[in-house]
Amino acid sequence: MSTLRLSTLTCLTAILATLASPLAQAALSYTNLGDMPDVRSLKNVTFEIPMKIYTADNKLIGEFGESKRLPVALSEIPKRLQQAFLATEDSRFYEHSGVDPIGIARAALITISGAGSMQGASTITQQVARNFFLSSERTLQRKIREAFIAMRMEQVLTKEEILELYLNKIALGHRSYGVAAAAQTYYGKDLSQLTLAEMATIAGLPKAPSTLNPISYPERSKTRRHTVLMRMLNMGYITRDEMDEADRAPYSTHFHAAELGAYAPYVAEMARQFALDRFGESAYTDALEIYTTVSSQRQEQAQYAVFKGVHDYDQRHGWRGATANINDPGNQAAAASAEGLRAYLRRNDKFFYMHAAVVTEVNDAARTATLINKDAEILTLPWEGMSWAHRFKGDRNMGPAPKKPSEILNKGDLVYTLVEEDGSLSLAQIPDVEGALVALNPFNGQIEAMVGGFDFEKSKFNRVTQSLRQVGSNIKPFLYSAAIARGIPVNSVLDDVPIETWDAGSRKWWRPRNSPNRFDGPMTLRQGLAQSKNMISIRLIRQVGVRNFVEHLKKFGIEVPPFQQNESMALGSVEITPLGLVTGYSTFANGGYRLEPFLVSRITRNGEQVYAAEPHTASPTYPNRVENSIELRYKEDTEPEPGSAQQVLSHENAYVLSDLLHSVVYGGHGLSGAFYGTGGRAQRITGRTDLYGKTGTTNNVHDAWFSGFNQNLVASAWLGFDTDRDLGYSRTKGPEGGAYSALPIWGEFMKRALEGTPESPLIKPQDGVYACTYNGITDLCVQGARNMVTQSSGPSTGVDTSSVASEDDVF
């Protein structure tokens, strides 16, 4: 007899003897009761429940914790599932008083005879005692204490209370504790949806959850399921026909994550970090429910806009080939069987909008390809859904148009597909490029939507909050705001002619250019911003002064390192995160107030609120306390609105600057007549007349931006690579950039987010803004504005050409 079998037999015999002898039982009770745990605490037990994160409309978007647990009342657990556990773990549960002498004797006999596996003989009550109060060490002392605690529990708790504790506490594998969590993990179901076969599988797990579960060891799980069903049959809980049917049921499964009500992984991760910073590690076990500011609908709109923009860019640059082929080395299991293929597809089907499929046939005659997906559905990919797939040759070039499907796909290829808005199926691929979008409520700073990348499964890096990028011409509105603060009217005229500046540091000439590289002579500041003229911006920063511009940017929370404080700031060499940028633009939209963005609105613990956001608010109707100047000066006779955010711009400055951004989208009238702006696509995409925004592209088309707003929503969109790689050119669009690459993301989001809402132009200040005429052009002016010289006399500081970002917007 093995040492382990002998040890188990010794424990069983000792407990049996203890229970059989009243004198020994009394002696042991006097010895152990002194340090006996208070089992009455189980009446008010609280389980370690993972953190859950919700949208503003109460849809689950994330669950975080070391263990998965979904406590339920016994009345919510199907009777047949209870019977499965009783038949398997403790058939005399309702007959014994915590410890079962008959069960111990039976286990001892089986152990001695070797007729079966070693029997622990622990009742359900003993298992509850061990799980809550004791370790799992196999010693005689622990076993005896377990018995006494179990008997005490039977005196304090009802059988129903004990069974409920057990079914919520028991470890059932894959970090799932309790039957409700196991049902979700193994089958993605609520308890009420489980079949008999699934109930029997779960009831068979307590013996060895790591080696008997249907995910890791399906064959062992099937054998264990049969054992459970046999015991249920012998107990009279099921009929022979029910058992046979359950025995024939499928026995393998796959891991099911928590069923989410909405897809917002970047939001969930940011909210998780907020809770962790605030509550520490206990946030994972204290049943925290975190409610965010994003609605599921608006978040989906943002998610789709980023996906569509990235996907469209990716298609413009060509097909890089299938992800893999099931005949490649290492994929033999996928090619060997239908189940192997389904498992392979499930592993690769991890994106939200795109879905994995394997090519089973390529038909050049019909100009189609036949695919199979993870659900074993047969799909037909039409030629219209793959004809875009020119061979990728680089970001600036791609091969000729394909003529037949076999030039694109091979049998066995792992590819991705997506369903287009019209319901048709299209070929897709995992993009190299990335995108991001963030939207705020301009009146209180709450984050309305946030997408930190193309897909969370591709990259968990949140570019909205973590990626500092040069912003290109998205910086220009801040420069023009500084000009207004300096008293420069927006109908002042500067020359759009070439600039050549000697940089003594690099001993080179700096020759910035426009894009397209043309020069249009004298124009107003309004036209210069609308058409994103670099020469106008450089001459304007010379009028404003570099140091003044640096100080003005601080009002928006934008800090510029000393090495970047030069004229190249006017073209966007400054690095800002998308969240920092959209926060700055919200100041223009809300009348001049600097907001603090926030994502978490409230947090509860077991239904009790433990945190609530207290945002400061903004409105162009609040008292105007700020003078229009570079230096932040407050009017002495004006009190702030209670609870308002810090005002950093005058209402007049914010309004006039916003009006300039309206011309970026809708054009205007200049010295030479009507002009168009670089943001005209925003109007065409959305069909609205109440939009304000600015394109932005950095040197060599490295980053593409569009930021803008209407009265009720402000958003920034970005497109680029995480690596040092330029966006390049496309065959159909020419150079990529803010207008072609990022603006469609912003426009798609705003179109969907504002659908059905009335036009919302900004509120004009009651005073301080008036019409003035300079150079024959009448435009808006701020009280105290002065005219300025038409031509700058020279640079205001040296230029570090290595950090210059040039504007490559293409209208």
Side-chain angles (χ1 to χ4, degrees), residues 658-674:
S658 297
D659 195 67
L660 295 183
L661 295 180
H662 194 264
S663 295
V664 175
V665 179
Y666 303 101
H669 191 83
L671 294 176
S672 302

Side-chain angles (χ1 to χ4, degrees), residues 344-664:
Y344 177 75
L345 285 168
R346 279 197 298 267
R347 288 195 302 274
N348 287 281
D349 195 71
K350 54 190 177 181
F351 301 111
F352 188 68
Y353 287 105
M354 303 190 310
H355 296 287
V358 165
V359 179
T360 59
E361 182 185 3
V362 179
N363 190 328
D364 283 342
R367 292 166 70 84
T368 62
T370 304
L371 317 175
I372 186 171
N373 66 13
K374 65 181 175 66
D375 298 319
E377 295 174 330
I378 304 301
L379 310 174
T380 299
L381 180 64
W383 177 247
E384 293 77 15
M386 57 176 140
S387 59
W388 64 266
H390 298 240
R391 181 63 59 179
F392 173 80
K393 288 189 173 182
D395 295 319
R396 296 172 181 267
N397 192 20
M398 59 183 177
K403 295 182 174 59
K404 53 187 178 180
S406 61
E407 294 180 5
I408 304 168
L409 301 173
N410 295 303
K411 186 176 180 178
D413 279 349
L414 171 67
V415 297
Y416 287 90
T417 65
L418 67 94
V419 177
E420 301 283 2
E421 291 184 53
D422 63 2
S424 62
L425 192 68
S426 286
L427 182 66
Q429 61 186 346
I430 303 171
D432 292 337
V433 74
E434 279 291 351
L437 183 143
V438 58
L440 299 183
N441 180 323
F443 299 121
N444 64 7
Q446 74 176 32
I447 295 177
E448 296 280 332
M450 181 179 69
V451 182
F454 170 74
D455 194 289
F456 196 70
E457 284 298 322
K458 176 176 180 279
S459 171
K460 295 175 174 55
F461 181 64
N462 188 346
R463 292 153 193 83
V464 167
T465 60
Q466 297 174 290
S467 184
L468 280 168
R469 312 288 297 212
Q470 288 190 344
V471 296
S473 289
N474 257 208
I475 201 69
K476 290 177 181 176
F478 301 101
L479 173 61
Y480 279 66
S481 172
I484 294 169
R486 287 277 286 165
I488 300 173
V490 299
N491 49 4
S492 297
V493 174
L494 289 174
D495 273 343
D496 178 34
V497 295
I499 290 175
E500 186 176 81
T501 301
W502 175 255
D503 178 18
S506 65
R507 299 186 62 79
K508 294 180 180 178
W509 289 97
W510 180 46
R511 299 181 178 91
R513 62 185 179 88
N514 288 325
S515 181
N517 199 23
R518 53 174 282 182
F519 304 92
D520 294 323
M523 63 177 57
T524 63
L525 297 190
R526 179 179 290 274
Q527 183 175 354
L529 181 61
Q531 297 186 331
S532 204
K533 291 289 189 176
N534 287 340
M535 304 306 110
I536 301 299
S537 292
I538 294 168
R539 288 186 164 89
L540 186 60
I541 197 173
R542 291 175 178 177
Q543 292 285 337
V544 170
V546 168
R547 289 183 179 83
N548 284 332
F549 187 30
V550 170
E551 288 304 309
H552 194 67
L553 284 172
K554 290 179 181 178
K555 299 174 183 177
F556 303 89
I558 300 171
E559 297 285 342
V560 183
F563 70 89
Q564 289 183 354
Q565 295 179 12
N566 51 57
E567 286 183 357
S568 70
M569 292 167 56
L571 308 186
S573 61
V574 179
E575 295 178 337
I576 310 173
T577 66
L579 183 59
L581 190 61
V582 77
T583 303
Y585 271 69
S586 71
T587 302
F588 302 133
N590 64 31
Y593 296 85
R594 177 180 169 183
L595 299 172
E596 292 294 331
F598 69 101
L599 178 69
V600 175
S601 60
R602 61 189 176 93
I603 300 176
T604 63
R605 181 191 290 122
N606 295 316
E608 179 184 352
Q609 184 165 291
V610 294
Y611 168 82
E614 297 179 350
H616 295 291
T617 59
S619 173
T621 63
Y622 286 172
N624 187 16
R625 302 181 58 236
V626 171
E627 296 181 2
N628 184 46
S629 63
I630 293 292
E631 181 185 357
L632 185 54
R633 295 198 300 261
Y634 291 95
K635 301 173 183 178
E636 295 181 359
D637 57 347
T638 308
E639 293 296 321
E641 185 78 11
S644 64
Q646 181 188 14
Q647 187 179 355
V648 294
L649 290 183
S650 69
H651 290 341
E652 308 93 275
N653 188 307
Y655 179 81
V656 172
L657 191 283
S658 297
D659 195 67
L660 295 183
L661 295 180
H662 194 264
S663 295
V664 175

Side-chain angles (χ1 to χ4, degrees), residues 129-162:
R130 179 169 66 247
N131 288 336
F132 279 97
F133 298 119
L134 301 170
S135 68
S136 58
E137 61 178 341
R138 301 180 66 136
T139 66
L140 175 60
Q141 183 180 8
R142 195 273 296 164
K143 199 71 177 174
I144 293 173
R145 282 179 55 78
E146 176 188 292
F148 274 95
I149 295 172
M151 289 188 290
R152 176 60 177 157
M153 284 173 55
E154 294 273 353
Q155 297 171 349
V156 174
L157 304 175
T158 67
K159 286 288 188 180
E160 288 71 23
E161 289 172 330
I162 293 170

